[in-house]
Amino acid sequence: MKFTTRAIHAGQEADQTTGATILPIHPSSTFTQEEIGKFKGYEYSRTGNPTRKALETCLASLENGKYCRAFASGMAAISSVLSLLVPGDHVIATEDLYGGSYRIFEWYRGRYKINFTYVNGNDPENFAQAITSATKLVWIETPSNPLTQIVDIAAVAAICRDHSALLVADNTFASPYLQQPLALGAQIVIHSTTKYINGHSDVVGGAVITNDSEIQKTLGYYQNMAGAVPSPFDCWLTLRGLKTLGIRMERHQENARRIASFLRPHPFVETVHYPGLPDHPQHDLAKRQMSGFGGMVSFQIRGGREEANIFFKSLQVFSFAESLGAVESLACYPAVMTHAAIPKEKREARGITDGTIRLSVGIEDWEDLINDLATALKSAQINN
Ligand code: P1T
């Protein structure tokens, strides 16, 4: 079956006892057992829950994976993958990545003697240069947060294979609708389901998908042990959001394409980062490994914090807020918000300056979005 059919039906058959067409929310924390060791597949909701199971089945299907574990946040999903590491292991990560991922990596470096090397993800050769016999994981974000850099998943997967390292792809920006890293050779896909997968800014969640039964087993052990599981209601809301992922992504990227084209020649805009622009350095690669360019656009204004602040305060349709991937448009200031955990010199060296603005383009009418940006840019420019 094709993508949207699976998004609507996978893991969500009619309820066997009542015939309810829509999956019930199972809030029960516990499940009555028939006798010692005999029960209907569920014992206790930290370990497993039917509504969570439906979400996990659907997400595994959409990533073309065998297994999925859902978590209470994207960060909890990331923590579960880091539980595969032991002291002395080495991890290579893309240097453009979510500030919270950087924060937890640095925590692991300090506390657990795990070494991290950050590389520019633009060129697979950078991964080949950094890889050692101690490298256990290679962690990529593609498109990356916030500068939308693209990593060649298949090329990096081949390097990982040669060195027995696991390739982990954070697929949050693309969503499984536009990119499926397992098919390109990654062993693990993670998501902040808070973003496009849920799509309505009303749930925080995460997920890990894999085809490897050993990894699945360890993640399941960790999920039950650490207990950062999503509530049944959050799983249900996420499944509801997921049904429209395909049509939302089409609209997100159509609006993003128009906005990137509007920003590109604007006199107060220095650079625009959007993989759909023909002059994006990895436009051709994005075209090859993705089926669309997504809804995230970032840009540098010809100004700094003061001008950026005027821009944000002038917005009427875009909300000035963290997060991304929902139906409403959001504008964010990475230097102080999503990427504040990265020290200033490192952040600026990686291209996130006081003039960097990130847009999560929603599904509103594009004319209203462009008018909003035009007005806010004008206000910021006058002040410059
Ligand atoms: O916020 P949470 O659901 O815990 O997910 C963490 C996370 C993981 N990976 C990527 C690529 C992310 O962007 C995030 C969260 N990002 C934001 C909150 C943000 O505004 O960028």
Side-chain angles (χ1 to χ4, degrees), residues 73-75 98 141 145 170 172 192 194-195 205 323-324 338 358:
S73 68
M75 291 316 302
Y98 173 54
E141 267 185 26
N145 184 357
D170 185 330
T172 299
S192 167
T194 314
K195 312 296 169 6
S323 203
L324 60 109
T338 51
R358 190 191 74 181

Side-chain angles (χ1 to χ4, degrees), residues 125-253:
E125 188 52 30
N126 296 337
F127 295 89
Q129 298 276 328
I131 207 159
T132 73
S133 57
T135 308
K136 179 82 174 281
L137 299 182
V138 173
W139 194 285
I140 59 173
E141 267 185 26
T142 181
S144 64
N145 184 357
L147 298 177
T148 74
Q149 292 176 354
I150 306 291
V151 180
D152 187 334
I153 302 175
V156 176
I159 296 164
C160 289
R161 249 191 324 272
D162 288 348
H163 292 81
S164 305
L166 299 172
L167 178 59
V168 185
D170 185 330
N171 205 24
T172 299
F173 263 40
S175 91
Y177 182 69
L178 299 180
Q179 176 173 274
Q180 285 133 29
L182 296 180
L184 295 168
Q187 280 72 41
I188 299 174
V189 167
I190 79 113
H191 277 284
S192 167
T193 56
T194 314
K195 312 296 169 6
Y196 288 107
I197 285 181
N198 176 59
H200 295 76
S201 296
D202 49 14
V203 173
V204 173
V208 186
I209 299 105
T210 184
N211 280 320
D212 185 311
S213 59
E214 282 306 308
I215 293 173
Q216 165 71 358
K217 231 188 259 170
T218 309
L219 296 177
Y221 189 84
Y222 179 87
Q223 186 191 40
N224 182 48
M225 175 181 71
V229 290
S231 75
F233 183 55
D234 283 355
C235 292
W236 187 86
L237 274 178
T238 305
L239 274 167
R240 183 157 111 155
L242 201 44
K243 289 175 204 250
T244 54
L245 178 63
I247 54 174
R248 282 189 281 112
M249 290 313 294
E250 291 293 346
R251 175 75 169 223
H252 280 299
Q253 59 185 0

